[in-house]
């Protein structure tokens, strides 16, 4: 007797979408099993294809929306759905930020077992052409006889075949097709796997990772392109320490302005800077609003980077100290302080993830603290801080899960109160959640 055939993965299935997952996929229940469906929104009836079967849950992608949500919008980008750079462009922008807020509050309650006394209004800025930092893949595809430049395809390691990008700053977002043609002109077009993009207030920097030496003619081709557009090329023949300007020097200075605080921040094309400069300016304002640095305050900025927060804080505090593990970033932060004529701020190198960082940190005078850690959070240094000295602590996070975990430590072990928390739309049209919290 033959066994009955299981329903093939290729057969479309109907589903009612109940909610939205943290990463922006619709959640449905099929025969008692959870299915995460890409491209579906809460309240919708969709037909979808299974893309993967797992033990605890399944995955799929919507192929037809039978009853659309009132929050569904037409994606502005013609590559949306194929390109993996964005995941929420089919959801109304205001609903996107509300979803991110719900993710933050759920994580605080579930992981940290804490609840903010006040929810801060979400911060939003321009939602198109906002992205100033990006890592783009590059690859020559023999079958298409052309070079591809872009983000990876959704759920794939292949590079998306695009000629423009709606979220990249227009200086490069509108010129991807030209970049593809430019790279194809080079003799090493088969040995260029990646472009690192860093767009300043003055020019767009493009770091070309190349696995074979450029010829003199290659460099002339790049120089001609520079002469016609607000683009400056940097070359990377090896590791990050090999990056240099096309002409052999450091290239043109890159910078951004924080006009509200009369601060100019210079950076190199491989430094960490916030992706969204317009939103970053609003974030700096909010940090200062929550931290309330005054003439009697000594502020400690942990994971300070180039001084994005430290420098404007120093405009108002008695003194500001920035600690950062990267010595290169510390040197540039020190130079930024000099360039902005700030004498009440200092920057020092310190690995804040080490178990012996506590004694080093305790040697600095502070009564207010700012934390802006990487995705892994700040648990290591939080557990070593003398929180008895802290009047206010502001935590900027790029990962709501680690913020929630650390918030639980600050409240339950450190004796601080979670006074306020909120989100900002640093990455519109993606599921990435950037958040901020105030502890007293």
């Amino acid at each position: 007797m033959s066994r009955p055939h299981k329903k093939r993965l290729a057969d479309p299935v109907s589903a009612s979408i109940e909610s939205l997952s943290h990463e922006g996929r619709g959640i449905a229940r099929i025969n008692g099993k959870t299915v995460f469906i890409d491209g579906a929104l809460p309240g919708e009836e969709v037909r979808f294809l299974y893309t993967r079967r797992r033990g605890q849950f399944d995955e799929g992608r919507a192929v037809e929306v039978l009853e659309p949500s009132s929050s569904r919008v037409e994606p502005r980008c013609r590559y949306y759905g194929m390109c993996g750079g964005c995941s929420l462009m089919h959801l109304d922008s205001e609903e996107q930020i509300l979803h991110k807020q719900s993710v933050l509050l759920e994580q605080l309650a579930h992981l940290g077992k804490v609840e903010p006394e006040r929810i801060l209004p979400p911060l939003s800025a321009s939602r198109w052409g906002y992205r100033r930092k990006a890592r783009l893949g590059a690859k020559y595809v023999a079958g298409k006889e052309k070079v591809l430049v872009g983000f990876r395809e959704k759920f794939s390691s292949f590079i998306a075949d695009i000629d423009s990008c709606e979220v990249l700053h227009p200086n490069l977002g509108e010129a991807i097709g030209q970049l593809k043609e430019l790279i194809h002109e080079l003799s090493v077009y088969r040995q260029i796997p990646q472009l690192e993009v860093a767009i300043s207030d003055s020019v767009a920097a493009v770091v070309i990772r190349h696995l074979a030496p450029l010829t003199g003619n290659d460099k002339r081709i790049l120089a001609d392109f520079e002469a016609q557009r607000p683009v400056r090329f940097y070359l990377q023949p090896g590791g990050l320490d090999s990056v240099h300007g096309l002409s052999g020097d450091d290239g043109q200075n890159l910078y951004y302005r924080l006009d509200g605080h009369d601060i100019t921040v210079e950076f190199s094309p491989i430094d960490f800077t916030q992706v969204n400069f317009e939103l970053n300016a609003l974030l700096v304002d909010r940090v200062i609003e929550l931290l309330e640095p005054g003439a009697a305050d000594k502020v400690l900025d942990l994971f300070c980077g180039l001084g994005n927060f430290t420098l404007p804080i120093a405009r108002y505090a008695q003194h500001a100290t920035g600690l950062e593990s990267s010595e290169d970033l510390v040197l540039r932060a020190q130079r930024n302080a000099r360039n902005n004529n700030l004498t009440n701020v200092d920057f020092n190198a310190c690995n804040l993830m080490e178990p012996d960082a506590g004694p080093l940190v305790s040697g600095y005078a502070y009564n207010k603290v700012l934390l802006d850690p990487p995705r892994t959070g700040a648990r290591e240094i939080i557990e070593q801080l003398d929180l008895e000295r802290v009047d206010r602590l502001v935590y900027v996070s790029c990962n709501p899960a680690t913020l929630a975990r650390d918030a639980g430590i600050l409240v339950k072990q450190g004796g601080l109160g979670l006074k306020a928390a909120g989100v900002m739309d640093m990455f519109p049209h993606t599921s990435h959640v950037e958040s901020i919290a105030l502890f007293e």
Side-chain angles (χ1 to χ4, degrees):
M1 182 176 179
S2 62
R3 295 182 179 180
H5 290 289
K6 292 184 178 180
K7 192 169 185 63
R8 294 177 299 163
L9 292 181
D11 291 340
V13 178
S14 297
S16 300
I17 309 303
E18 299 176 3
S19 57
L20 202 61
S21 71
H22 289 178
E23 68 273 15
R25 294 185 292 176
I27 300 176
R29 314 281 177 189
I30 307 293
N31 297 324
K33 191 175 185 182
T34 299
V35 185
F36 295 98
I37 303 175
D38 186 64
L41 297 175
E44 292 188 333
E45 294 288 330
V46 303
R47 287 177 64 77
F48 74 96
L49 291 174
Y50 280 99
T51 56
R52 183 174 295 182
R53 302 273 198 176
R54 297 178 180 269
Q56 299 298 317
F57 60 89
D58 295 330
E59 297 174 289
R61 73 180 163 81
V63 293
E64 183 181 5
V65 179
L66 303 175
E67 295 182 20
S69 164
S70 60
S71 298
R72 178 174 286 275
V73 295
E74 185 66 26
R76 173 166 159 173
C77 177
R78 58 188 169 127
Y79 304 108
Y80 183 68
M82 177 271 288
C83 174
C86 297
S87 58
L88 287 176
M89 202 177 286
H90 60 294
L91 178 62
D92 175 77
S93 293
E94 296 301 327
E95 292 297 323
Q96 289 181 33
I97 193 68
L98 290 177
H99 168 66
K100 294 176 183 184
Q101 178 174 280
S102 70
V103 170
L104 170 64
L105 297 178
E106 180 185 333
Q107 297 279 41
L108 287 171
H110 178 68
L111 297 178
K113 303 295 189 292
V114 293
E115 182 179 347
E117 295 180 15
R118 177 167 59 100
I119 299 174
L120 298 167
L123 290 180
S124 296
S126 297
R127 295 176 169 114
W128 305 104
Y130 69 84
R131 188 160 186 165
R132 300 239 192 163
K133 290 279 287 186
R135 178 172 294 168
L136 304 176
K139 184 176 179 63
Y140 174 72
V141 180
K144 296 184 177 183
E145 295 186 345
K146 66 178 180 178
V147 171
L148 302 184
V149 171
F151 298 103
R152 303 290 170 180
E153 290 183 0
K154 185 170 281 192
F155 310 124
S156 167
S157 61
F158 294 114
I159 295 171
D161 188 359
I162 64 176
D163 290 316
S164 61
C165 177
E166 295 287 351
V167 297
L168 268 180
H169 189 280
N171 280 1
L172 283 182
E174 297 174 357
I176 291 178
Q178 298 167 29
L179 278 176
K180 290 160 60 173
E181 295 174 0
L182 173 71
I183 291 174
H184 203 179
E185 290 183 48
L186 305 178
S187 66
V188 295
Y189 66 91
R190 294 176 183 266
Q191 284 84 40
I192 296 178
Q194 177 181 294
L195 303 179
E196 194 86 25
V197 174
I199 301 174
S200 81
D201 286 353
S202 59
V203 69
V206 179
V207 181
I208 301 176
R209 177 74 177 102
H210 54 98
L211 307 180
L214 272 67
T215 66
N217 188 56
D218 289 336
K219 294 179 180 179
R220 282 190 290 273
I221 291 171
L222 294 175
D224 288 343
F225 192 92
E226 282 187 339
Q228 299 171 34
R229 297 168 182 82
V231 173
R232 295 293 177 270
F233 289 109
Y234 293 74
L235 306 180
Q236 184 187 351
L240 291 178
D241 58 352
S242 71
V243 174
H244 60 278
L246 178 62
S247 59
D249 55 21
D250 289 336
Q252 180 171 330
N253 284 336
L254 307 176
Y255 69 90
Y256 62 89
R257 285 280 300 166
L258 296 169
D259 288 325
H261 311 283
D262 191 25
I263 293 292
T264 299
V265 181
E266 292 186 358
F267 62 95
S268 86
I270 57 173
D271 287 340
F272 171 81
T273 57
Q274 296 288 2
V275 163
N276 188 330
F277 282 8
E278 185 180 349
L279 197 286
N280 178 62
L282 298 177
L283 173 57
V284 170
D285 291 346
R286 176 152 290 180
V287 165
I288 290 175
E289 171 195 340
L290 296 177
L291 201 58
E292 292 186 358
D297 291 322
K298 296 178 180 178
V299 180
L300 186 61
D301 182 3
L302 303 179
F303 309 96
C304 68
L306 294 161
N308 179 62
F309 298 112
T310 332
L311 297 170
I313 286 171
R315 290 284 191 217
Y316 311 98
Q318 179 184 344
H319 193 273
T321 298
L323 299 182
E324 164 63 44
S325 62
S326 168
E327 294 187 4
D328 287 342
L329 287 178
V330 167
L331 290 174
R332 275 191 280 281
Q334 291 170 343
R335 185 173 65 189
N336 279 323
R338 292 192 298 271
N339 291 345
N340 286 280
N341 299 313
L342 290 169
T343 58
N344 64 330
V345 59
D346 62 281
F347 294 93
N348 296 283
C350 177
N351 188 344
L352 298 169
M353 298 299 188
E354 292 295 324
D356 59 352
L360 295 173
V361 172
S362 65
Y364 296 98
Y366 62 89
N367 67 302
K368 293 184 177 181
V369 174
L370 172 66
L371 290 167
D372 184 16
R375 290 189 60 80
T376 51
R379 177 172 58 189
E380 292 82 0
I381 191 60
I382 282 175
E383 293 177 338
Q384 300 180 67
L385 280 177
D386 182 4
L387 295 175
E388 292 289 333
R389 299 163 59 178
V390 178
D391 299 325
R392 285 187 172 217
L393 185 149
V394 172
Y395 192 132
V396 176
S397 170
C398 59
N399 184 348
T402 52
L403 169 59
R405 178 202 66 199
D406 293 346
I409 296 172
L410 288 167
V411 172
K412 300 182 186 312
Q413 299 178 27
L416 300 183
L418 177 53
K419 297 299 180 181
V423 295
M424 43 267 190
D425 209 4
M426 186 70 73
F427 291 81
H429 312 300
T430 78
S431 59
H432 183 87
V433 180
E434 194 97 1
S435 52
I436 188 169
L438 168 64
F439 299 84
E440 291 182 0

